[in-house]
Amino acid sequence: MTAMPEVLAELQGLRVRVPHLTGALVASTDGLVIAHHVTDMEPDGVAALTAAALGVGSRLTDAVGHGGFRELLVRGERGYVATYAAGASCVLTLLATGDANVGRLNLEARRAGARVAELVADALAHRRQG
């Protein structure tokens, strides 16, 4: 799947709305980049790792009876990596510094994930029709 301008615009807006956000990426659930706004890293590698994290998160929530995957937050020494379900076919991954307001990050990411899901679903529907 090639980069979608509407999804890229959503990622750029997200970076404006969330202070301390250093990168944003949307990938298919099988690890292919749909759109990204990252620098100083390889988006294909991040997308592949996102798909792997999605798989582990999905298995974990299923194993403990908590339903389908919604989000995963990883905190490292220098910041956060947060992955959110964006519909059935893609995931949103955000990178933020350690100074990020995690509540704001979650709020904005959940909204953006819902919007990305709509954009991707619409694009897939248009491809099927055309």
Side-chain angles (χ1 to χ4, degrees):
M1 190 177 289
T2 59
M4 299 173 56
E6 300 88 358
V7 175
L8 185 56
E10 184 66 33
L11 296 182
Q12 291 168 333
L14 190 57
R15 288 198 62 182
V16 169
R17 293 188 307 272
V18 180
H20 307 289
L21 198 64
T22 60
L25 177 134
V26 174
S28 65
T29 55
D30 57 357
L32 300 175
V33 175
I34 294 173
H36 71 88
H37 199 274
V38 297
T39 57
D40 300 329
M41 67 188 66
E42 179 56 44
D44 292 330
V46 175
L49 289 168
T50 294
L54 171 65
V56 170
S58 294
R59 286 192 298 274
L60 181 59
T61 57
D62 186 51
V64 299
H66 285 186
F69 174 84
R70 293 291 177 256
E71 56 196 55
L72 173 68
L73 179 68
V74 177
R75 182 176 179 205
E77 291 177 357
R78 292 183 293 276
Y80 298 93
V81 179
T83 300
Y84 302 84
S89 63
C90 57
V91 292
L92 169 67
T93 295
L94 303 178
L95 311 172
T97 66
D99 297 335
N101 178 325
V102 176
R104 176 78 182 266
L105 178 75
N106 283 328
L107 178 68
E108 293 291 344
R110 290 171 186 154
R111 290 177 182 165
R115 178 73 178 132
V116 165
E118 291 174 11
L119 292 169
V120 171
D122 288 347
L124 291 174
H126 287 313
R127 285 185 184 171
R128 285 186 199 121
Q129 291 173 354

